[in-house]
Amino acid sequence: MSKITYRDAGVDLETYQESMSRLPALMKRTHCPRVLPWKNGFAGLFTLDFAGGLFSRNYKDPVLVSCTDGVGTKLKVAQLARRHDTVGIDLVAMCVNDALCCGAEPLFFLDYVAMAEDDPQLLEDIVGGISSGCLASDMALVGGETAIMPDLYQAGDYDLAGFCVGIVERSRLLDGSALTPGDVVIGIESSGVHSNGYSLVRKIVFEHAGLKVNDEAEGCGGTVGDILLQPTLLYVRALRDVLNHYKVKSVVHGIAHITGGGLHENLARIFSPHVDAEIVRDSWPIPPVFEWLQRLGDVDEDEMFRVFNMGIGMAVVVSEYYAESVQQQLAAHGLQSWLIGRITEGTGECRWA
């Protein structure tokens, strides 16, 4: 009887080494001088401040901000379409967009990729997207972990998790305390479904309607795969510039990332118990993908707004006096935005006007 090997159990160490050899270049392109080299690879090192020049921050009372998230069942769409180079962008976005809600500047990122079997090209595609997301967020990819688990995943399956660390001066921390009646809510466009509600999306599109990834998504300007794999927008550069443009905290009072739970639930998360928000329902255009999904699945409108972002990827609460200025800065970054509501006295709720 021949001796049992790790390869017999589903893990080929030679293929694993090939996979690992493809990743350093994807990480290196995201590095700035604040990333310290450490050859043994057990951890990533990042200098909180820098001696001088372009990367000097001169923090006075810094607070570290950490976020973690995944991509969810959007990965099943990527697997159906055999297109894996965008879900890494989603992974980064789901983490760094959350960090922005504290007013933080993202510093570095780590990933966790769990796979059924070694597949160097698949891993390179996934991490390539993560690397691109980090570049677009001016953030270093300092490390990660790849786990091969043939007994937990079917062939071709994989899962992703991401971990972001950012920083904010304590005096600039957005904790909801600055929200004031009379403030306005600016809604910033999403790129579509982003990365939430895909269990409902897949039930509507693939199970109820019986569509395939290469079928046309009627009225959306692309195939089902094209539309559903549109990556989550990264708002880092735009919102960082907005936050840095004003030297006082009295301009931007709150930021909410609109994910699962929709606009009302996520916006209410940043409120104090003394304010409400009144949102004007028809104050922004609903992207075609949501109208398509609602029509295709005969979904109630309330359910659509409870599950999906409905075209608003981030909501920013600002002093009304500065609203036009903030919108101009967002437009300079190519982002559409709309005045969608107002803060009133209340009990910490968000409702339709």
Side-chain angles (χ1 to χ4, degrees):
M1 182 180 293
S2 60
K3 295 182 178 180
I4 296 176
T5 67
Y6 207 3
R7 181 182 294 178
D8 296 329
V11 181
D12 187 331
L13 290 176
E14 291 181 359
T15 306
Y16 183 82
Q17 289 300 323
E18 180 187 345
S19 296
M20 294 303 101
S21 71
R22 299 185 181 204
L23 304 187
L26 295 174
M27 295 170 59
K28 184 69 175 178
R29 68 177 185 150
T30 71
H31 290 182
C32 67
R34 297 168 75 184
V35 178
L36 302 183
W38 199 37
K39 292 183 179 179
N40 69 27
F42 287 111
L45 306 182
F46 193 94
T47 305
L48 192 58
D49 213 327
F50 204 68
L54 178 63
F55 294 95
S56 176
R57 295 296 187 271
N58 299 315
Y59 297 118
K60 295 179 175 62
D61 189 12
V63 175
L64 290 177
V65 175
S66 59
C67 299
T68 184
D69 211 332
V71 181
T73 63
K74 187 173 185 176
L75 296 179
K76 300 296 289 185
V77 181
Q79 290 156 18
L80 285 173
R82 298 182 181 180
R83 192 183 311 170
H84 309 284
D85 57 345
T86 61
V87 289
I89 298 173
D90 289 298
L91 182 66
V92 173
M94 293 303 291
C95 295
V96 299
N97 289 346
D98 278 356
L100 290 172
C101 297
C102 303
E105 172 194 2
L107 298 177
F108 59 86
F109 192 84
L110 297 99
D111 63 68
Y112 172 79
V113 184
M115 307 174 71
E117 57 192 358
D118 288 299
D119 187 332
Q121 187 58 57
L122 172 60
L123 183 63
E124 185 177 9
D125 288 346
I126 294 168
V127 179
I130 295 170
S131 177
S132 295
C134 288
L135 279 174
S137 303
D138 298 320
M139 177 176 57
L141 176 60
V142 298
E145 171 68 9
T146 303
I148 308 301
M149 297 186 287
D151 292 334
L152 287 180
Y153 297 92
Q154 298 296 316
D157 286 349
Y158 61 89
D159 198 9
L160 306 179
F163 311 89
C164 164
V165 173
I167 192 168
V168 60
E169 289 283 3
R170 187 183 297 271
S171 63
R172 307 273 292 179
L173 185 65
L174 299 179
D175 59 3
S177 62
L179 270 70
T180 305
D183 288 347
V184 296
V185 182
I186 297 174
I188 309 176
E189 66 172 323
S190 71
S191 57
V193 186
H194 280 188
S195 300
N196 294 102
Y198 271 80
S199 293
L200 179 56
V201 167
R202 291 185 304 108
K203 187 173 184 65
I204 292 170
V205 174
F206 302 120
E207 184 177 328
H208 179 73
L211 297 177
K212 306 296 184 184
V213 290
N214 292 322
D215 290 339
E216 190 73 15
E218 186 179 349
C220 298
T223 67
V224 169
D226 292 336
I227 299 304
L228 296 186
L229 289 177
Q230 185 70 25
T232 306
L233 278 180
L234 291 152
Y235 299 95
V236 175
R237 289 177 179 170
L239 289 181
R240 183 190 59 201
D241 286 357
V242 167
L243 290 167
N244 289 340
H245 182 79
Y246 305 102
K247 302 305 180 185
V248 292
K249 193 177 176 180
S250 59
V251 176
V252 177
H253 294 168
I255 300 175
H257 184 198
I258 311 306
T259 55
L263 179 62
H264 286 66
E265 181 178 311
N266 285 284
L267 188 55
R269 290 169 65 180
I270 70 171
F271 292 170
S272 73
H274 310 295
V275 298
D276 286 352
E278 293 185 344
I279 304 299
V280 180
R281 186 184 287 262
D282 297 323
S283 54
W284 74 93
I286 304 297
V289 62
F290 298 110
E291 297 172 345
W292 172 66
L293 288 169
Q294 184 177 10
R295 183 174 65 252
L296 204 63
D298 191 24
V299 183
D300 287 342
E301 188 169 87
D302 287 346
E303 181 72 356
M304 292 294 296
F305 275 94
R306 193 171 70 90
V307 175
F308 300 116
N309 67 62
M310 299 302 285
I312 301 296
M314 297 286 274
V316 183
V317 181
V318 304
S319 171
E320 184 175 22
Y321 179 82
Y322 294 98
E324 184 177 352
S325 170
V326 170
Q327 287 190 274
Q328 289 173 351
Q329 292 175 68
L330 294 170
H333 283 271
L335 292 172
Q336 294 187 71
S337 65
W338 305 271
L339 293 179
I340 65 170
R342 182 174 296 275
I343 302 299
T344 65
E345 292 183 1
T347 59
E349 298 181 353
C350 184
R351 59 181 180 271
W352 295 118

